[in-house]
Amino acid sequence: MKSLLIAALVAATPLPPLQPEPLHAAISDLQNPVATSAQLRVTGGAGRWYGTAGTANGRREVGPDDRFRIGSVSKVFVATVALQLVAERRLSLDTKVRHHFPDVPETLGAVTVGQLLDHTSGIPNEVGYPDLSTSAKVLEHRYDRWTAQQLRDLIPEAQPKFTPGTKQEYRGINYLLATMIIEKVTGRDLSVEVRDRVTRPLGLDKTYVPQRNETAIRGRHVHGYLEVDGQRVDVTDFNTSRAHGEGDMISTTGDLTRFAQALFDGELVAQPLLEKMFTLPDVSMVDGRPAAYAIGLQTFTVNGVQVWGKTGEWYGYNAGVFSTRDGQRRIAYSFTPTVRDANQQQMTLRIANAVTAAVRP
């Protein structure tokens, strides 16, 4: 495992004061990428700021309590619940997946719960998933309802992509399996575990895991859109059951920053288990880059400032929550791109630079 000494030193570096103009500029360019709205919340000891751009539904402005789909930020909630179960001795990171599901493909026999959570499992690619390569095809399947078992059955009887624990590859299927294990161990749906263990104790009343047959976003929310054959289509209504436990949750920027504060402060997961969320496995990614994912969290450094958190995507939505280890700067953002491609990173990178850049003379 890699030492956290460097991470601690970077987090302790004095942060530049917030500059409203660059922050607003980072979210107000809704042409790069093309998006219908954006919002950014910055909290922490080094300053606060909140701003929006665009409209929530083509008419009204985005509000600070508007919900949105958070995509893979959901994984942080799942990892938090898993580590709480470890603390209660109801789950072990070293237990093999086969212990919980004896009928899984033979290739999963050596994979542990911990390797699911830090993406070092080597699970082969799923086979039989619908073709979602275009926006039109996405619309054809927007109301498909998946059970967790159906998704698990897409894992083939094939050799692992690498020996478990020797490399890292970010995969959603890891968190689907981790969620299934949580639900088997507790006997309750993930939505109930997240509610009782995280959102209710923290007062995050706008954050929830949707039910398998639920397609609408509850309450006041931001709409998401996709460009389909030259037309902009509202895709807010969507069945996200195929991303159960790995990308289906809904939240707000206020709830996400409060969640990050509580998590990093040890309110949800106590030391030393919390440290596992900030400890990268001592392996390389499959493409040769250094590992970037710990249990639940990913990390990157911008302008000399290291942050930990998670990005997330869903059709029509992009979101993220990040914080320095010392809590001096926490951010949560959401924007609604109309095309799901690599250009979405332009907005994310602008936000990252704006919240970490030194003041120019």
Side-chain angles (χ1 to χ4, degrees), residues 145-152 176 212 241-242:
R145 181 182 177 186
W146 290 80
T147 66
Q149 184 63 48
Q150 286 174 322
L151 292 165
R152 201 188 83 181
L176 168 75
R212 308 298 202 288
S241 58
R242 70 175 180 82

Side-chain angles (χ1 to χ4, degrees), residues 70-82 116-117 119 146 148 151 170-183 189-191 194 208-212 240-249 296 310 314:
I70 66 173
S72 287
V73 178
S74 306
K75 293 180 175 68
V76 189
F77 290 83
V78 172
T80 299
V81 171
L116 295 176
L117 294 171
H119 299 286
W146 290 80
L151 292 165
Y170 180 78
R171 297 281 306 286
I173 192 68
N174 289 320
Y175 273 71
L176 168 75
L177 291 172
T179 296
M180 293 180 70
I181 291 171
I182 287 171
E183 292 179 335
D189 190 81
L190 178 69
S191 62
V194 169
Y208 65 94
V209 179
Q211 300 301 306
R212 308 298 202 288
T240 57
S241 58
R242 70 175 180 82
H244 181 55
E246 61 108 346
D248 58 339
M249 286 184 65
K310 192 70 189 70
W314 190 256

Side-chain angles (χ1 to χ4, degrees), residues 23-39:
L23 290 170
H24 191 264
I27 61 174
S28 62
D29 183 356
L30 298 181
Q31 294 303 311
N32 297 290
V34 176
T36 57
S37 70
Q39 59 177 311

